[in-house]
Structures are given as structure tokens and as C-alpha cells.
Amino acid sequence: MENTTKIGMNRTGMQMAPIQGPTQAAYAEAEGPTPADAVALARERSACAAEAGRLGSVPPPGTGRGLLHTAADKLKGHNPEVLLDKLGQRLAYERSGVRLYDAVLAKVQVWSHAGQDALRNDLLAIREDEAAHFQLLAGVVMELGADPTAQTPAADVSAMAALGLVQVVTDPRTTVAQSLEALLTAELTDVACWELLSELARAEGHEAMAERFDGAAGVEARHLDTVRRWLRELLMHEAQ
Amino acid sequence: MGISNNLWDHAGIGLDRQRFTWRDMAGPPISKLDDDAFTRIRVILLNGLELDALRLKHMAARLDASLRVPLAQLRRVEQHQATMINWLLSADHSPLETTIAYEQVAIEVTAAVAQAEPDAYQAQSYRFGLLEDFDHLYRYSALLDRLEGKDANNILQGYTDIVPGRPTAEEHRAPEDDVRHPYRRSQAKPLTKMHATLITASEYQTHDYYMNIGPLFADPVARQLYAEIASIEEQHVTQYGSLQDPDESLLEKLLIHEATEVYTYYSCVEQETNPRIKAMWERFLDYEFGHLAMVSRLFEQHERRDAQEVLGTMMPAPLRFAPQRGFIREVLSKEVPLRALGTAYVPQQEESETTRQARAALNADGSPSEIVAAGYRWMPGTELGRHHAKRS
């Protein structure tokens, strides 16, 4: 199977239903209600948002020897759980990132393209960086006396947001270019979130931690460049 | 060469030769974008029928120890058939897009059945349910547009209209107003028995699907809408299930079910446009002839009756897989105000007080189907096309 998208018998649009389509549109115009905005829907969503509980909580640090003393920081007016929550999120995101790259690598393995080896090497290198970042974060969370195996609310939310990425890269029918686009989405988020995490750590007084995160953010920025470059190259090649 | 339509001309394939591998079962799916919507309709319909075959046989096994081994053997194959069929739905269908497809099945297949059904009361029952599923399609299309920003017609492919039917908010009835008159086993045509089996299976599947995916939605209105429509699908299972004669024996019901499977695969073989899927229908039609032969033997051994007495000899004309737009519009224009009172279909004002009270209680905090579709008029490319045109 060619690893590109082609013109074919796509039946989803109105132009592919030249007989049935117009009668369907005219009937809806004649029989449908007077059009209006989805005000009732918005009102119900707002009412539910106002009443809703939260997804869950950040677990308290389990050991007293950590650098982060939840109760004491709260007394100083800080909310250390914000940093813990975001650390848990990055940890989970990097761990899932490894799996995204695993899936794309399996696709590249059977990709007949002159750039196969170069792309595989680039993706393998990024995969190793993601795994190293996961370990880095697990270490930091433990240093703080917290539990790196817990799923924090922010980790849960980012995993929900990334569910579609997993679907795209693991579908055998998606091309390498389509999979790279999913990785682009992942890397764009990753760069922005590492920068934010670094800023947050610094603001909370964890300067050494922030410096390590600056390093990781720099590595992620290179991932983004690499993925973006490959995607551009493949699309331009496909369009020739 | 076409298949002979004599039910008893085919020995089919023996159960011992009905084999699958995991790769077989989880094979390449259909294309959401390129395959014809009627291919997807057939996939959903047959999955529902196979799941109902499992359901009925499990019930039968609970009631008769002597049937347990042969039914377990049949079910193992049916489980794998259902898997191979259901796994044809590709992962790029969102649960809501699959929902649109389920409603298209309910509309197009029920409309075809309503026209072919020889019994007037049964046909009326299909038309009655059809108008309710038709409204569900409209409500879910509004949800798809307003939640995911997608056009339901990408799934429907122009075959099915998207306008209100009998309003979903008014479909909630007291249970006693959902039970219908059954056909009489001694008088009903085999086609009547097969229709009731097929549509009950299909609605059962829809109910179970909504019950499974409803809680997967984050949006509170979507969650409410699935809760509301799943409740109506339960009413529909009650309605269609009660069309069957309760005096049929267990084995007679099993026999009718197998014949329904043969008939439906046969109809699919005759009309399938995707060659790979057609080959699958042909393979499973051969399997089904084997199942029918096996259940016929069980029926004849246990009941000392001839299976042909129940099923006749000839298969009816194939179930039509084609848009039923003209028929549906006609039913819409005449029968939306109909309501149910006990087993009868009556004018709106004659509904029972029990039904009115049950409905009012359910809708007391608002109606999700009204909330989601308020001011929704479908147009090609989503309603945002209209808003954009108005503002530019």
C-alpha cells in the first residue's frame, strides 16, 4: 500500500450525492425548525459547570523528608499541590510520549522511502529523550517526597486530550506523514508545557529544579524542529 | 450464479469447519470515507442479529439442560461472527458518528421492513417506531454538529433526511403502553416472524450500545441525551419483542432466529457493493445454512415436528437495502401525531393518564432532546455555514 493519500471514491460530501443530496437539503429547509443559536445547550452546560465537582485530587506527599512541606507551604500562602500536579502531568505525558514514538517507529519500519533510516534514527533519539525526561521527573517527584506512580488530575486531563493522538498513530491505515502530524501536536504542547513547568518551579523557589527543566525544554524544542522538518519534507514530496 | 432461494436446498458448512483466527476476526475495517453507507448499515444490522442469537441461546440454555452443549457450540461460532462483523467499523468513527449510523440502520431497515410486512398491525408497529428513531437521528445530528462540529451527512451520505419526527420528548410512555399484540404462530407468514426477530435484535443492540457509550461522553447534555434515548430504545425492545408470539416454543424461536440470519445474510449477499465484504457475507451465509440445519435437527428431535411447518420452503424476496425517502416522508406527513394506548395506536389526545404522568415526571428537570436541538435546522456542511453566510 502506498504511504500517501490519493483521489478516490470518498462519499461523504454533497457532490457525491447529486440526486439524493439536493432533495435532502430542500426537505430540511422546508421541514426543519426556524434556525436559532444553541442557547439552551450553552445554558445547560454553564449550569452543570457551575455545580460540578472536580476530576479528583493531588495526593499528599507520603514522606516527611521531601523538600516540599505541604502544610508549611500552605501557611506561607503557597499551593505546592499545583507544582505536584503539573509534575505528575509532565511525567505521564513523557511516558505516553515514548509509546507514541514506539507506534510511529513500527510504521516507519515498513515505510519504503529513501529517508527511512534517517527518520527512524531521529525518532529513536527522540524516544530515548522522552524516556529520560520521564525518569528525570520521577526522580524530582520522589525528591519532593511525593509519589511518581500516582495519576494527578493534570495528568488525567492531558491523557484525555492526547487520546486522539494514540488513535491516529496506532491505526495501521494512517500514513507516516499523518502520524508525524500527531507527533507535531504532541511536541507543540510539550515545549509549551516544559517552559511553563520551569517557570512554575522557579516561582516556587526551586531554582535547581527549574534549571534542569530549562534543559529539558531545550531538548523538546529540538524535537519540535525535527518533527516539523520531517513533516514538511514528506508533504512537499507527496505534493510533487 | 445467484443463490437458490429454497431454504432447504443448502446443507451449508458443518460447525467443525467454521473456523476463525484472531487476525481474521480483527481484520481490516471498512472505510468511513469511501465505503457506501449501506455497507455500514449491513455491518451494524448483522452484528445486532448475531448478538441477539447469542442472547436467545443463552436464555434457552438456562431453561433446558439438554440443549446446553449444542447451543454452546453454535454460540462459539456466532460470537466470532459477531466479532468479525463488528470489528469492520473503523476506529475513525467517533462514538457519536457510529450513533448516527445506528439510527440510519433503524430508519432505513425499519422502513424497508414496514413496506414488506404482510401483517397490517405489525406494519403499523414498524411505522410507529420508525418515526421515533427518525427523530433520534435529528437530535443526534444536532449534537454531532454542536459538540464535535461535524456534519451527520458525512455518515448518512445523502440517503436519509435530517428533520424532526415524533418529538423524542413525547416518546416516553408508561410501560403498559409499549406492549403490543403478538402475531399468531399458526397464522403468521414466516416473513412476519423474521421481521419481528430482526428488528427486535437491531433495537436491542442500539439500546446496549447507547448504554455503553453514553457515559463515555464528558458533555453533560450528551450524557443526558444518551440516557434519554437509551430509555426509548428499551421501550422499543419492549414493543418489538412483544410482536412475537409467546406461545412459540423455545426451539421454535431458535429455529426462526436461524432462518432470520439466513435470510438477512442472503439479502446482504444479493446487494453488497464492497467485494471483500460480500465474500464475508457469502462465507457466513454458508455458515448459517449449517446452523439452520443443526437447529432444524434439534427441533425435529425434540418436538417431533417438521421445521418446514414453521418456516415454509422458499425464502422471501430479499430485504431491500436502499433509501426509503419517499415512504418515510409519507409516513411523517400522516403518522407523527399517533400515540400508543395499550396495544392500540390512537390519536394524540387519547393517550393514557399514566403515560402523561410518567412523561411529565421524566421531563420535569428539562428535556435533553429539546435542549440539544433547539433552533437546529440541518444544512449541508453544518449549521455554522448558515451563521457564517449571515454574518459575512
Side-chain angles (χ1 to χ4, degrees):
Chain A
M1 186 67 70
E2 276 193 74
N3 217 296
T4 54
T5 42
K6 297 286 183 203
I7 295 281
M9 194 62 187
N10 181 314
R11 297 173 197 265
T12 57
M14 289 301 279
Q15 289 180 7
M16 291 301 276
I19 300 165
Q20 302 280 346
T23 169
Q24 180 194 33
Y27 191 66
E29 195 64 22
E31 302 293 328
T34 305
D37 289 339
V39 178
L41 174 65
R43 198 182 301 125
E44 182 68 12
R45 281 173 166 172
S46 299
C48 290
E51 291 171 2
R54 300 279 77 95
L55 288 177
S57 57
V58 179
T63 71
R65 292 183 299 133
L67 298 176
L68 187 101
H69 301 292
T70 311
D73 279 358
K74 267 193 182 301
L75 287 174
K76 284 193 291 182
H78 294 308
N79 288 313
E81 62 268 30
V82 175
L83 180 61
L84 278 182
D85 190 19
K86 301 307 280 183
L87 286 170
Q89 178 186 47
R90 280 286 38 74
L91 177 152
Y93 200 88
E94 297 297 314
R95 192 172 54 192
S96 300
V98 172
R99 300 309 180 193
L100 286 181
Y101 280 91
D102 280 344
V104 181
L105 278 161
K107 207 161 271 183
V108 172
Q109 193 65 29
V110 289
W111 185 48
S112 306
H113 188 280
Q116 184 190 25
D117 285 342
L119 177 58
R120 182 171 45 219
N121 291 339
D122 281 349
L123 296 182
L124 271 172
I126 298 178
R127 183 205 184 274
E128 292 312 305
D129 288 342
E130 304 290 355
H133 289 167
F134 159 57
Q135 296 294 350
L136 162 72
L137 286 156
V140 167
V141 170
M142 280 193 284
E143 283 167 23
L144 295 174
D147 182 357
T149 67
Q151 186 176 38
T152 68
D156 189 31
V157 166
S158 68
M160 268 203 289
L163 263 182
L165 304 182
V166 177
Q167 286 289 89
V168 169
V169 299
T170 56
D171 192 325
R173 303 170 307 157
T174 54
T175 64
V176 169
Q178 287 164 342
S179 302
L180 282 170
E181 198 158 304
L183 293 181
L184 178 66
T185 305
E187 293 295 354
L188 280 164
T189 302
D190 218 13
V191 170
C193 287
W194 271 108
E195 288 169 358
L196 197 56
L197 187 65
S198 179
E199 195 180 329
L200 183 65
R202 195 161 274 123
E204 294 290 305
H206 301 288
E207 183 57 35
M209 187 193 296
E211 282 174 18
R212 288 153 87 185
F213 293 170
D214 289 340
V219 172
E220 293 295 345
R222 288 200 294 279
H223 295 173
L224 176 59
D225 286 345
T226 305
V227 170
R228 204 194 315 247
R229 177 173 51 77
W230 272 108
L231 179 60
R232 184 187 301 117
E233 197 172 313
L234 294 196
L235 287 181
M236 293 304 165
H237 179 76
E238 208 176 302
Q240 297 301 307
Chain B
M1 198 174 75
I3 306 148
S4 155
N5 63 352
N6 186 317
L7 262 179
W8 311 104
D9 269 359
H10 308 265
I13 292 181
L15 274 191
D16 56 336
R17 289 167 52 215
Q18 302 188 4
R19 297 285 174 83
F20 299 82
T21 67
W22 305 122
R23 260 190 112 142
D24 233 2
M25 284 185 259
I30 60 168
S31 167
K32 180 181 94 171
L33 308 179
D34 291 5
D35 268 298
D36 191 273
F38 275 93
T39 293
R40 181 170 41 226
I41 285 173
R42 286 182 279 269
V43 166
I44 293 171
L45 182 69
L46 279 169
N47 180 58
L49 190 56
E50 290 294 356
L51 292 181
D52 195 59
L54 291 179
R55 188 179 293 121
L56 179 62
K57 288 185 179 71
H58 275 298
M59 304 272 192
R62 288 186 199 182
L63 295 168
D64 188 336
S66 72
L67 293 174
R68 287 183 177 178
V69 170
L71 292 184
Q73 290 167 335
L74 282 162
R75 280 199 310 266
R76 189 60 48 87
V77 175
E78 286 169 335
Q79 157 68 20
H80 293 161
Q81 283 177 278
T83 307
M84 193 162 164
I85 295 167
N86 202 28
W87 267 229
L88 286 171
L89 293 181
S90 54
D92 51 337
H93 289 84
S94 73
L96 186 45
E97 287 177 311
T98 303
T99 297
I100 297 291
Y102 268 58
E103 293 299 345
Q104 188 173 35
V105 173
I107 293 163
E108 297 298 346
V109 174
T110 310
V113 161
Q115 293 168 87
E117 173 53 49
D119 179 300
Y121 177 81
Q122 302 257 332
Q124 173 69 79
S125 298
Y126 295 124
R127 296 199 302 276
F128 187 79
L130 164 66
L131 292 184
E132 301 193 343
D133 286 323
F134 188 84
D135 194 73
H136 301 169
L137 175 65
Y138 167 71
R139 309 287 156 177
Y140 281 131
S141 297
L143 181 65
L144 184 68
D145 189 339
R146 292 173 167 182
L147 182 71
E148 298 184 12
K150 293 178 185 167
D151 182 354
N153 202 41
N154 291 162
I155 298 294
L156 302 172
Q157 298 179 2
Y159 291 130
T160 310
D161 286 320
I162 310 170
V163 300
R166 179 174 303 119
T168 296
E170 294 178 33
E171 294 170 9
H172 310 293
R173 290 175 287 273
E176 52 268 40
D177 290 329
D178 285 322
V179 176
R180 304 284 168 257
H181 277 308
Y183 61 71
R184 304 311 308 177
R185 52 182 283 273
S186 53
Q187 290 147 21
K189 298 256 191 328
L191 183 60
T192 295
K193 299 175 184 180
M194 294 198 283
H195 280 161
T197 301
L198 181 65
I199 300 299
T200 305
S202 179
E203 294 288 317
Y204 225 131
Q205 168 182 236
T206 305
H207 169 264
D208 290 358
Y209 181 69
Y210 295 168
M211 290 299 285
N212 281 315
I213 65 154
L216 299 183
F217 286 83
D219 182 80
V221 179
R223 293 170 76 86
Q224 289 178 36
L225 185 66
Y226 274 91
E228 182 183 14
I229 296 183
S231 173
I232 296 161
E233 301 303 345
E234 158 57 25
Q235 293 181 226
H236 285 181
V237 179
T238 300
Q239 160 166 311
Y240 292 125
S242 61
L243 292 176
Q244 298 179 25
D245 190 337
D247 292 332
E248 285 164 345
S249 70
L250 205 51
L251 269 162
E252 193 166 347
K253 287 198 185 294
L254 289 168
L255 189 64
I256 292 166
H257 210 291
E258 291 303 340
T260 307
E261 292 167 62
V262 167
Y263 170 64
T264 310
Y265 280 110
Y266 164 72
S267 301
C268 290
V269 167
E270 293 285 304
Q271 295 164 78
E272 184 55 66
T273 50
N274 178 327
R276 180 170 69 90
I277 309 302
K278 181 172 178 167
M280 188 185 297
W281 303 148
E282 285 169 338
R283 170 178 164 187
F284 287 170
L285 177 58
D286 277 342
Y287 285 16
E288 290 304 333
F289 278 122
H291 299 177
L292 179 64
M294 187 168 161
V295 173
S296 298
R297 281 195 298 277
L298 288 172
F299 178 78
E300 289 170 3
Q301 282 162 14
H302 283 251
E303 305 217 350
R304 306 279 170 214
R305 289 196 284 150
D306 188 345
Q308 285 194 35
E309 274 178 32
V310 178
L311 301 175
T313 310
M314 307 306 285
M315 254 188 293
L319 174 65
R320 285 189 64 223
F321 292 107
Q324 308 297 330
R325 173 165 276 133
F327 171 77
I328 295 166
R329 288 182 182 179
E330 193 186 330
V331 178
L332 273 169
S333 70
K334 292 179 182 159
E335 301 190 14
V336 166
L338 275 187
R339 297 292 183 269
L341 176 66
T343 57
Y345 298 106
V346 298
Q348 200 161 3
Q349 59 276 17
E350 292 177 26
E351 271 190 311
S352 70
E353 194 47 38
T354 330
T355 273
R356 288 177 203 276
Q357 283 174 8
R359 180 182 302 142
L362 285 165
N363 289 333
D365 286 341
S367 162
S369 54
E370 293 295 315
I371 289 171
V372 77
Y376 187 71
R377 184 196 284 173
W378 175 80
M379 67 170 282
T382 80
E383 67 177 355
L384 291 178
R386 180 185 299 116
H387 295 183
H388 182 74
K390 202 168 58 183
R391 284 165 192 166
S392 60

